[in-house]
Amino acid sequence: VLIKELIEKKRDGLELTFDEIHFIVDGVTRQTIPDYQISAWLMASLCSGMTEAETAALTEHMLNSGRRLKRCTDRLRVDKHSTGGLGDKTSLILAPLLACLELDVPMLSGRGLGITGGTLDKMEAYPGYRCDLSEAEIESQLRKIGCVITGTTANVAPADKRLYAIRDVTGTVPSVGLITGSIMSKKLAESLDALVLDVKWGSGAFMKSIIEARELESSLVRTGRRMGVITTSLLTDMNQPLGRMVGNACEANEAVDIMKGSGPADAVEVTLALGAELLLSTNRESCPEKARQAIASLLQNGQALHRYQEMIEAQSGRFSEVLPIERSTVVESKNSGWVVSLDGARLGNIVIAMGGGRRSQQDAVNPGVGLEMLVRIGDRVENGQPLLHLFFDGAQPEIDALRDLAREAVGIGPSQKPGPALIVESA
Amino acid sequence: VLIKELIEKKRDGLELTFDEIHFIVDGVTRQTIPDYQISAWLMASLCSGMTEAETAALTEHMLNSGRRLKRCTDRLRVDKHSTGGLGDKTSLILAPLLACLELDVPMLSGRGLGITGGTLDKMEAYPGYRCDLSEAEIESQLRKIGCVITGTTANVAPADKRLYAIRDVTGTVPSVGLITGSIMSKKLAESLDALVLDVKWGSGAFMKSIIEARELESSLVRTGRRMGVITTSLLTDMNQPLGRMVGNACEANEAVDIMKGSGPADAVEVTLALGAELLLSTNRESCPEKARQAIASLLQNGQALHRYQEMIEAQSGRFSEVLPIERSTVVESKNSGWVVSLDGARLGNIVIAMGGGRRSQQDAVNPGVGLEMLVRIGDRVENGQPLLHLFFDGAQPEIDALRDLAREAVGIGPSQKPGPALIVESA
């Protein structure tokens, strides 16, 4: 087989076979196909689309390009994956919480890409926290604590590492098939029994429309099930940040609030819904209401928080209930009316501009930077009323400009618009 | 501007501006854009298509990535370009012939790509023939002889050299916009007054369908006119080889036959039509019949041949009326009927397999290898009747297999089918 012929076949809209996709993924992993042919195939795949069989084959070969984590206990093994959104700190809560229910949670996570923060960056807000656990360390920690939040090891889906680096610079990220392969190859490498997906849509999410989000959701769920993992999903709203806090330390603190039984209602609700989904899909509970109560009680009684602290300390992090945050400045409304929209992309870019996220992979992140939303869609605001706080490094020269940008991110209209549905549907 | 954003814009089907295309071509030329981003942009351009304005901008910037030949005489400057076909030796005849009519012909040509032979390879069948003339040598030869057939100099369209190398291995050759930019940037670098295009369609051509060929023809003609060159074209048939001979020395010998007033009727007809087209478009003649007679008389009276010999000798080639050809073997029909089709791609690949063309750019070419067609579409054949000769290196181990392949390339049916129209239309 010649890679050129496979590029041409995909370019012409034909379906590649299981073996042909193996040839490509193998060439990606063993570096026998040069970058320029990989990028041409990626663009042809994006433009022509990928079938369900192609997506499944891509996922399977990417998974097999590396090793899977070993099953090291008799407990059921589960995970939650979110497609990413502003202020989404649910993973920090669910990993220790599910471990309290005698489920193993081998959560291999990533760093922030674009406007949505990365779970690893949030965990690293705890000084000393290690995200580079070896396979042996992951196994040992799962045996002892039942949960881990760490980076993918070098052995997990090496094909994805090279493919993603090329996709990132060639405009070939937003393909449902390629996204599915990238996400699911890494999740399947965790050797899971069950996975729940949180697919987000809206201005602060990767998928800006509900139609695109549904397409991705369907692809992810079908691929997971095809590979023998119990896979369910929720389609959730990301037209406004989840919770009040955006930024690494800010979000870690808010996660702790939730694990102390308080915290904002929307973030609590998504946490309950995703956790309950896993208890139902694994038959640990049969009644949705009981499943939610099981999750909620672990937030109320402090057990999730206790396990969270154990996990952080096992990974060499120094836990504190409240991490330090940078100084704050308030952004006030310049008119009166109703909040009708929040521009998530703009809010995310403001956090990046303040040093709380990455423009390129080498950038250092300041964990104390972030923002706090004081209003939500549907709220009434008056002229001069605070809309949000920015937490910024005092040396930030552009803070006035960023405050203006933040103000513009809050759309204010003459009449009330209901807030979007938080949980749209489940699959 | 970021190249990634331009790739995304093209991927999403939007039109790039003149300046954006300049940014890309400049980055191609100055090597500031890596291959993998160029190939992604090429595939996006192929999949999304290119508008007329984009094609014109690409051509202009590719042209300006290098230098144009200087105008060095007061004579009109013309050229003919063919999109390539099996047995097409028209360039060898028209360059010296048009020079006899006091037109300058600065023909910058290429080598064989795929199944269609290259004019430079045909000229190099004359021992010692130089295809690497400098700009000064081109000027000097045009002043003295009025014609030159040589390779594009390093200074002509350097952007095309890099783009073509990437397109060749990434499945991004067959894009009308990209083909137009590649062809026209080099032709416009000749500083022409008039250009005639021979756009070929059929089994032995690059464009397999007449619809694709028309699309390319229209793009080439519009781009040439937009750039201020009198541009006309003929759409011609390539469902069977032009003339009887295919192969470098074979074709050079057949070109000499035509310049001696004989030769096969179809190759003579295309030569007359293309030459006459240029005489009409430059207003050297106003009557089509007179234009054809002017061309024909230069074939009959030996002037074109004399100029051809002068050109070859000026470029250090050793001219002979009949170049040596390898030994021949005959391929006979195994059934009776009517010739209904000739598989040009297969015939071309047989010549390559015998060593008469290139599989990769480094391959040496044996000029004495080739084939002679003894039948044409519409002919009656009987069982055992010779269909073609193969001229092959005696050491060729696969000659029996190639003979079988050649036999299969001749489609024989139960009833007569008229041969395709040689000249379909002109634009």
Side-chain angles (χ1 to χ4, degrees), chain B residues 29-57:
Chain B
T29 311
R30 296 198 297 115
Q31 315 262 350
T32 53
I33 302 177
D35 290 349
Y36 52 83
Q37 289 180 317
I38 294 172
S39 67
W41 167 72
L42 289 167
M43 186 58 82
S45 298
L46 186 148
C47 292
S48 298
M50 291 171 68
T51 65
E52 182 176 340
E54 285 180 307
T55 302

Side-chain angles (χ1 to χ4, degrees), chain A residues 150-219:
Chain A
T150 186
T152 53
T153 69
N155 291 327
V156 166
D160 180 64
K161 294 180 176 70
R162 184 163 176 223
L163 281 180
Y164 197 86
I166 298 173
R167 287 169 63 205
D168 191 35
V169 292
T170 56
T172 49
V173 168
S175 145
V176 166
L178 297 175
I179 294 169
T180 300
S182 179
I183 291 177
M184 295 305 287
S185 63
K186 288 178 290 189
K187 288 291 122 181
L188 294 168
E190 296 174 359
S191 306
L192 301 176
D193 295 297
L195 173 67
V196 65
L197 295 158
D198 181 5
V199 180
K200 296 193 172 292
W201 82 276
S203 71
F206 187 66
M207 296 288 169
K208 304 297 178 201
S209 81
I210 203 165
I211 292 161
E212 292 170 291
R214 278 203 183 106
E215 197 192 340
L216 177 60
E217 180 185 32
S218 157
S219 176

Side-chain angles (χ1 to χ4, degrees), chain B residues 92-101 271 275 294-296 298-299 304 307:
Chain B
L92 279 60
I93 305 162
L94 276 174
L97 189 153
L98 293 164
C100 294
L101 292 164
T271 304
I295 306 294
L298 292 166
L299 298 177
R307 191 67 63 108

Side-chain angles (χ1 to χ4, degrees), chain B residues 94-108:
Chain B
L94 276 174
L97 189 153
L98 293 164
C100 294
L101 292 164
E102 297 294 311
L103 296 164
D104 276 2
V105 190
M107 193 180 274
L108 301 181

Side-chain angles (χ1 to χ4, degrees), chain B residues 306-369:
Chain B
H306 182 252
R307 191 67 63 108
Y308 182 62
Q309 181 171 351
E310 281 185 313
M311 177 182 76
I312 290 168
E313 288 169 356
Q315 293 185 226
S316 311
R318 289 188 292 286
F319 176 75
S320 60
E321 293 208 348
V322 182
L323 288 166
I325 304 295
E326 293 283 0
R327 60 188 284 191
S328 80
T329 178
V330 68
V331 175
E332 288 154 346
S333 180
K334 289 204 168 161
N335 37 32
S336 300
W338 302 89
V339 179
V340 292
S341 66
L342 292 171
D343 184 340
R346 185 167 293 187
L347 292 172
N349 280 319
I350 290 168
V351 173
I352 292 173
M354 293 192 297
R358 290 184 185 76
R359 282 215 177 77
S360 75
Q361 287 196 312
Q362 294 75 38
D363 289 352
V365 167
N366 176 351
V369 146

Side-chain angles (χ1 to χ4, degrees), chain B residues 37 40 52 58 97 109 149 152 154 197 210 249 253 271 291 343 427:
Chain B
Q37 289 180 317
E52 182 176 340
L58 177 67
L97 189 153
S109 296
I149 298 180
T152 53
L197 295 158
I210 202 164
N253 289 344
T271 304
D343 184 340

